[in-house]
Amino acid sequence: MAGHTRPLRILLAKLGMDTHTVGVTVIAHALREAGMEVIFTGLKQTPAMVAAAAIQEDVDVVGISTLSAGHTRSLPQLAQLLREAGAGDKLLLAGGVIPEEDRPLLEQAGVDRIFTMGSDTREIVDYLNQWWSRQPGSPD
Amino acid sequence: MEVAAALVKGNVAAGARAMRWLDDRDPRGADVVSAVIGHTGGAHVVGLTGPPGAGKSTLASALIAEARRREHRVGVVAVDPSSPFTGGAILGDRVRMARHALDPDVFIRSVGTRGQAGGLSRSTHDTCLILDAMGYDLILVETVGVGQDEIEIVALAHTTVIVGLPGLGDEVQAVKAGLMEVGEIIVINKADREGLDHTLQHYETMLHLRASAQPDAPDAWTPPLLTAVATREEGTAAVVDAIEAHGRWLRANGEFAARSGRRARAQAMVLLRDRLSTLLDQHADPQVLAAVEARELDVYSAADALLAGLREALRRG
């Protein structure tokens, strides 16, 4: 993250009963290698738990990994909770198994970007670095 | 100042933003500290330290649960190491404390060390101060588990809890650990593991040696040696008892305010060194440095010359 004066902080979580951790672990390490501070909150999180943690940690980005159904309900809920708490400016990302037909609903609900299976971690890192360089207080 | 006014009323987002500014060394952080300082001084800061794998996060979670039963409002600062190469970090202590995520009277903040040695981040002191101003009366600071010389926490906390575990090369651990000389409460976690008696014996010996090295004082604090199985919340109420007892002891002896004062004084020196270091970088004469690099000038003479240059620059303002 050359040129950035402060590290990007990102919260990574898994919602619901989904216990597949390989993907989120790989991403956490890639983001750490890219100089970011990754706050991992664990499995079986509810939207309310993720929203509360995102606010206490004052992260810039919330990344949700989902490999089981339920995201069409839980992700919009999370976006809503963040907005209600005045934290709607945080970037909300989702990744994992998300069928193409769910995209419009999620994007409309406030998910800023969806990374599907097979996304290269480099793609995620590049996307975040570009987004971060456009944020105030992080000249690049 | 909007953020300062909101956080002293307990606003979580405002407190979190102030912590971010302080961690990022945003100048707005210093303004918040000036504005809220009058609201601080009440919180009991408790450090949890010990080797990696001792179960510090799990113990912290059990202590939070017990402290909440006693109606404490609990702040937690969980420190994990930042990569010295990339500056990035994976901060995973929240995983073990997940059950407190929705408790409005528990505030957990994860911080990376960001290049600071000694088991804490540079911002840990400030983060505790903000939690204090927000009205959290018990603040747990979980250090990086680097083991034997992470005594930074002792300067920061009112009470330092050493977390050990059975059967981890105890002889070496207990004797070498500089921490054993300063911890106020010793907890052997994972006490259901093999080797507990052996470990307790070693810690008892250490504490005995430590007591005999200190002058007899009738009202001295005697560090309790406790055992716990944090995953089952066994023995953890006794740890909170000991923390509260030590808090009462500190207040009765005038040590509570004295420790806060020493901590503030030390932090002022840290900030001064920080600023001097920035000034040095700005004013270091490149010609002198080049001469050192070319081995035309020795390092001691170079340091003298650089300091003289800095003095000159400061005089000119």
Side-chain angles (χ1 to χ4, degrees):
Chain A
M1 298 186 59
H4 288 182
T5 54
R6 59 195 190 117
L8 179 152
R9 278 168 70 87
I10 176 168
L11 184 145
L12 288 183
K14 294 187 69 75
L15 290 169
M17 296 310 287
D18 170 7
T19 56
H20 302 85
T21 56
V22 176
V24 73
T25 308
V26 169
I27 289 165
H29 282 273
L31 299 180
R32 175 181 181 269
E33 289 311 299
M36 300 174 195
E37 283 186 354
V38 182
I39 292 121
F40 185 56
T41 59
L43 311 174
K44 300 181 184 173
Q45 301 277 294
T46 64
M49 288 163 86
V50 174
I55 290 157
Q56 287 183 1
E57 299 287 357
D58 196 11
V59 292
D60 307 291
V61 184
V62 178
I64 299 299
S65 158
T66 171
L67 291 162
S68 67
H71 53 262
T72 48
R73 251 165 47 108
S74 56
L75 280 169
Q77 259 174 24
L78 172 59
Q80 175 71 21
L81 286 167
L82 287 172
R83 275 194 300 273
E84 281 171 11
D89 58 335
K90 297 191 192 307
L91 191 72
L92 180 56
L93 309 181
V97 181
I98 295 173
E100 203 51 42
E101 61 263 32
D102 293 346
R103 269 180 184 270
L105 183 148
L106 294 178
E107 282 166 356
Q108 206 170 18
V111 178
D112 294 290
R113 176 74 189 252
I114 296 164
F115 293 94
T116 47
M117 289 300 279
S119 295
D120 196 324
T121 53
R122 218 173 325 160
E123 188 188 332
I124 301 173
V125 168
D126 288 345
Y127 173 81
L128 284 173
N129 276 337
Q130 278 168 27
W131 176 81
W132 188 229
S133 68
R134 293 194 303 271
Q135 302 309 303
S138 63
D140 192 51
Chain B
M1 169 133 224
E2 209 179 314
V3 166
L7 80 86
V8 297
K9 289 190 194 117
N11 184 290
V12 172
R17 180 53 48 90
M19 291 172 192
R20 180 69 189 267
W21 284 341
L22 288 158
D23 211 13
D24 287 346
R25 303 205 214 179
D26 185 310
R28 287 171 288 184
D31 296 338
V32 174
V33 169
S34 312
V36 305
I37 195 76
H39 295 266
T40 64
H44 184 177
V45 180
V46 178
L48 295 179
T49 189
K56 294 185 290 295
S57 299
T58 308
L59 180 64
S61 186
L63 297 182
I64 296 167
E66 180 59 28
R68 290 292 301 123
R69 277 175 218 127
R70 302 183 190 194
E71 300 191 348
H72 288 291
R73 298 189 69 226
V74 187
V76 180
V77 187
V79 189
D80 270 324
S82 302
S83 161
F85 305 107
T86 67
I90 295 178
L91 313 174
D93 292 322
R94 288 191 83 98
V95 174
R96 309 247 178 267
M97 304 179 206
R99 63 174 158 143
H100 305 294
L102 291 178
D103 185 338
D105 292 313
V106 177
F107 187 124
I108 302 167
R109 181 70 165 207
S110 312
V111 296
T113 50
R114 297 195 181 180
Q116 188 78 353
L120 298 177
S121 72
R122 196 182 297 262
S123 63
T124 306
H125 176 271
D126 292 328
T127 308
C128 290
L129 199 78
I130 298 299
L131 287 167
D132 188 354
M134 293 174 77
Y136 296 94
D137 64 294
L138 181 66
I139 299 173
L140 303 177
V141 180
E142 183 192 334
T143 75
V144 172
V146 293
Q148 300 185 342
D149 57 350
E150 45 174 359
I151 43 179
E152 294 291 316
I153 187 62
V154 177
L156 177 92
H158 294 103
T159 304
T160 301
V161 180
I162 312 293
V163 188
L165 75 169
L168 200 95
D170 317 275
E171 298 87 344
V172 180
Q173 209 186 92
V175 173
K176 268 174 75 180
L179 278 171
M180 278 301 294
E181 295 159 33
V182 286
E184 278 106 2
I185 298 167
I186 321 290
V187 181
I188 309 302
N189 190 30
K190 305 189 181 182
D192 52 348
R193 282 200 182 177
E194 209 171 321
L196 177 66
D197 291 348
H198 194 61
T199 301
L200 282 175
Q201 226 174 354
H202 279 287
Y203 277 85
E204 267 160 21
T205 308
M206 274 305 298
L207 287 171
H208 181 74
L209 288 173
R210 178 176 149 189
S212 52
Q214 283 159 355
D216 271 331
D219 54 354
W221 172 259
T222 309
L225 176 58
L226 307 171
T227 60
V229 183
T231 47
R232 298 199 296 260
E233 286 195 40
E234 283 173 24
T236 47
V239 179
V240 177
D241 286 342
I243 290 169
E244 288 180 334
H246 189 246
R248 283 192 298 275
W249 179 87
L250 289 169
R251 288 179 203 275
N253 290 278
E255 266 292 303
F256 194 89
R259 285 188 191 198
S260 306
R262 284 201 293 273
R263 180 170 80 210
R265 182 190 163 124
Q267 182 68 7
M269 289 305 292
V270 167
L271 292 178
L272 175 64
R273 282 194 197 95
D274 238 33
R275 291 187 190 183
L276 283 176
S277 168
T278 310
L279 274 177
L280 280 173
D281 289 340
Q282 284 167 353
H283 293 287
D285 184 345
Q287 279 180 328
V288 174
L289 292 171
V292 174
E293 203 174 327
R295 301 177 66 85
E296 288 159 7
L297 188 65
D298 71 277
V299 290
Y300 291 96
S301 308
D304 288 340
L306 291 169
L307 185 61
L310 178 67
R311 284 212 177 97
E312 185 57 33
L314 288 177
R315 222 182 347 258
R316 284 197 307 266

